[in-house]
């Protein structure tokens, strides 16, 4: 019986640890994604400005 109890407790601890790790990684990726989105938006705006200046020059 005690082996079963240790097995169950070990499984719970593993699941809890995996859940915490997934939440931490999800939080990091959300922060990184917003930074990448802002950088990507700046790059798109930069390309739009370049295309507009080329169109007005020709």
């Amino acid at each position: 019986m005690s082996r079963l109890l240790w097995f169950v407790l070990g499984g719970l601890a593993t699941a809890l640890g995996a859940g915490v790790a997934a939440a931490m990684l999800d939080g990091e990726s959300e922060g990184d994604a917003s930074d990448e989105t802002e950088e990507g938006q700046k790059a798109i705006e930069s390309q739009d400005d370049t295309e507009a200046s080329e169109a007005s020059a020709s």
Side-chain angles (χ1 to χ4, degrees):
M1 181 70 177
S2 68
R3 289 183 183 175
L4 177 62
L5 179 64
W6 281 113
F7 180 75
V8 170
L9 290 176
L12 290 174
T14 301
L16 181 64
V20 169
M24 290 175 62
L25 289 175
D26 189 38
E28 283 182 17
S29 67
E30 286 178 7
D32 294 343
S34 64
D35 292 342
E36 291 173 0
T37 303
E38 289 175 6
E39 291 174 8
Q41 184 64 31
K42 289 178 185 175
I44 291 170
E45 290 172 358
S46 160
Q47 289 176 351
D48 289 344
D49 293 343
T50 303
E51 291 171 359
S53 64
E54 288 175 357
S56 64
S58 47

